[in-house]
Amino acid sequence: MSIYDNARQQFADWGVDTEAAIEQLKTIPISMHCWQGDDVVGFEKKSGSSGGGIQATGNHPGRARTPDELRADLQFAYSQIPGVHRLNLHAMYLDTDETPDRDQIEYRHFASWVDWANEQNIGLDFNPTFFAHEKADDNLTLAHPDQGIRDFWIEHGKRTRDIAAQFGAAQGNACINNIWVPDGMKDHPIDRMAPRKRLENSLDAMLSEQLDSRHLLDAVESKLFGIGVEAYTVGSHEFYLGFATRKGTLLCLDMGHFHPTENIADKLSSVALSVGEILLHVSRPMRWDSDHVILLDDSILAMAQELVACDLLGRTHIGLDFFDATISRTAAWVIGTRNMQKALLRALLLPLDQLRTAEISLDFTTRFMMTEEIKDLPFNAVWAEYCERMDAKCGKALLRELDSFQSKVSVRG
């Protein structure tokens, strides 16, 4: 009997079908973020500060410097990740010799990304870039008191929606256009309401055109605070939860945009009662929004379990958001994405029917005993089987692939 056959029998003893879990995992796309590959620099041919409380630390060799280098790195990373793939692209990652400002970008500036993604069978998601620009230096964009600056960013947002809709049309599936703005203040404001009214009005103007939901899904993303906006964030969780509920957009929950001690998994079942669909940005905060590469830790396992136990996989879009320049960027992509997949597989391998029966019967002793005993089940054997079927390496073989690729890109400096 093979290691997997033995594992399959052990799970069957608990009433779990490993084959069904593997087949379901094959269908769950994860949207990997482009900005891990170049430390959130982008490819605009103009200077700009990072801004918005965003900072990638470290200078590990191998940062992608051009769209072609970034696509080559992504292509390698995807080859080491089993399953269905998407790419989350920021508006600052245009591929053109032109120098359009943010309110002038068009689909043609990103057409090469669509051609590449279609060749690779990778779905695309998109984001307006409301940071790293002189008109965001005050850490105010859509909520800025200057109408001219607001209009600039409203136009940028409109153009990203149009570009994202064309992505979706060209690929035959919906592209998520996720809106996050850095707006806030370093010290305590006198008037907290006025900026939020300006933000709401700007968002309404940005989203005023009805676009085909088969091609475009709008999402809004909150944040607790960032560098330079420690005292007040205009687009708080409560603001966007209300907005998404009223306006019918997706709500993005970024695990790095709450207090590090908050259980973000616990929010899923609550917000799912008020919004139709959810976008996740899976990350790992450490004391502040530091966007560390995700580990297979309790927070990720809890997130995956909540998605499966609450039957939210069909209503939730899973994306990643971390950037670490102290380690190999491709290794960060591969290990981080695979950790999300491992967490999902573990959730799919839980005897949820038995656990629910115990819970609804108020038999908390059985629930307690089961949740502890099933931790010893051979999840790794099922993961290894999944990888083998998807022609993806595991263990030391994977490490050799990652090291080999890193040695090739390290010459970039």
Side-chain angles (χ1 to χ4, degrees):
M1 179 181 291
S2 70
I3 295 175
Y4 171 68
D5 288 335
N6 181 60
R8 182 178 181 179
Q9 183 57 56
Q10 289 187 58
F11 279 100
D13 291 342
W14 288 88
V16 175
D17 184 349
T18 59
E19 289 294 310
I22 287 174
E23 289 305 309
Q24 187 169 359
L25 185 61
K26 288 180 180 179
T27 68
I28 303 174
I30 296 178
S31 193
M32 203 166 73
H33 53 308
C34 72
W35 49 93
Q36 164 62 43
D38 81 324
D39 308 339
V40 207
V41 174
F43 302 127
E44 292 174 310
K45 292 180 171 57
K46 54 175 58 187
S47 61
S49 58
S50 58
I54 293 174
Q55 181 180 5
T57 55
N59 57 356
H60 197 79
R63 181 181 72 83
R65 300 160 300 182
T66 67
D68 285 339
E69 286 184 351
L70 184 58
R71 285 190 283 264
D73 293 352
L74 284 162
Q75 195 164 326
F76 166 75
Y78 286 128
S79 73
Q80 305 302 314
I81 302 168
V84 184
H85 306 306
R86 296 188 69 85
L87 173 65
N88 199 6
L89 194 66
H90 242 285
M92 65 197 298
Y93 287 83
L94 67 175
D95 183 5
T96 177
D97 290 329
E98 300 177 42
T99 57
D101 208 343
R102 298 271 177 88
D103 63 342
Q104 300 169 329
I105 57 173
E106 298 180 12
Y107 175 80
R108 72 174 188 274
H109 300 134
F110 301 88
S112 62
W113 282 105
V114 179
D115 294 340
W116 174 81
N118 284 340
E119 289 173 2
Q120 302 297 319
N121 196 28
I122 293 170
L124 287 174
D125 295 311
F126 203 46
N127 307 261
T129 306
F130 288 97
F131 54 90
H133 191 282
E134 60 185 8
K135 285 188 170 62
D137 283 348
D138 295 323
N139 281 331
L140 288 167
T141 59
L142 293 179
H144 202 288
D146 186 322
Q147 181 68 56
I149 291 179
R150 292 202 304 276
D151 287 344
F152 173 88
W153 290 114
I154 289 168
E155 180 62 24
H156 173 62
K158 287 181 175 180
R159 286 175 178 257
T160 62
R161 292 186 73 231
D162 181 68
I163 292 166
Q166 292 189 67
F167 282 1
Q171 293 201 294
N173 60 71
C175 172
I176 297 175
N177 191 53
N178 181 52
I179 303 164
W180 173 78
V181 299
D183 295 37
M185 298 184 189
K186 187 174 184 63
D187 215 334
H188 301 292
I190 299 302
D191 186 349
R192 294 173 180 268
M193 179 66 81
R196 287 179 170 143
K197 286 183 176 178
R198 291 195 293 266
L199 175 57
E200 181 178 47
N201 290 336
S202 295
L203 289 169
D204 284 343
M206 229 178 88
L207 301 172
S208 59
E209 184 179 359
Q210 293 295 314
L211 298 173
D212 194 332
S213 61
R214 294 174 300 175
H215 302 153
L216 170 72
L217 295 173
D218 294 297
V220 291
E221 177 182 353
S222 66
K223 190 168 184 175
L224 176 61
F225 84 104
I227 294 178
V229 292
E230 292 87 353
Y232 168 69
T233 299
V234 184
S236 65
H237 174 59
E238 294 78 10
F239 174 91
Y240 280 123
L241 176 58
F243 185 90
T245 302
R246 295 192 307 276
K247 308 294 184 176
T249 68
L250 277 67
L251 179 68
C252 178
L253 299 177
D254 186 309
M255 295 177 70
H257 285 188
F258 295 86
H259 192 282
T261 62
E262 283 191 85
N263 179 4
I264 312 307
D266 183 57
K267 300 180 185 298
L268 286 170
S269 57
S270 295
V271 302
L273 297 174
S274 298
V275 301
E277 295 184 59
I278 299 168
L279 172 62
L280 284 182
H281 276 188
V282 184
S283 186
R284 178 169 56 104
M286 194 177 293
R287 294 184 172 85
W288 66 286
D289 174 30
S290 46
D291 292 301
H292 289 68
V293 182
I294 62 174
L295 307 176
L296 189 60
D297 60 10
D298 287 345
S299 65
I300 303 303
L301 292 170
M303 182 69 76
Q305 180 174 324
E306 194 78 359
L307 290 173
V308 175
C310 295
D311 194 25
L312 292 175
L313 284 173
R315 297 169 53 191
T316 304
H317 307 266
I318 304 173
L320 307 180
D321 188 357
F322 51 77
F323 35 94
D324 188 343
T326 68
I327 61 176
S328 165
R329 296 164 184 82
T330 48
W333 269 328
V334 172
I335 299 300
T337 309
R338 285 166 64 115
N339 278 342
M340 186 67 240
Q341 292 177 315
K342 288 179 181 180
L344 288 167
L345 180 61
R346 286 183 176 236
L348 293 168
L349 290 170
L350 294 176
L352 289 174
D353 289 342
Q354 296 178 57
L355 288 165
R356 286 194 187 97
T357 298
E359 187 167 87
I360 203 167
S361 302
L362 305 183
D363 185 358
F364 301 138
T365 300
T366 295
R367 184 187 65 181
F368 164 68
M369 293 189 297
M370 285 183 64
T371 54
E372 292 307 301
E373 283 301 301
I374 59 180
K375 291 177 181 178
D376 294 328
L377 287 171
F379 295 98
N380 61 317
V382 184
W383 169 256
E385 178 69 15
Y386 171 65
C387 288
E388 183 175 349
R389 294 183 187 184
M390 301 296 289
D391 197 26
K393 293 180 173 60
C394 284
K396 290 185 176 180
L398 173 64
L399 300 188
R400 286 192 293 270
E401 290 289 327
L402 297 177
D403 286 341
S404 175
F405 188 82
Q406 178 58 37
S407 67
K408 296 175 184 176
V409 300
S410 290
V411 297
R412 295 174 184 167

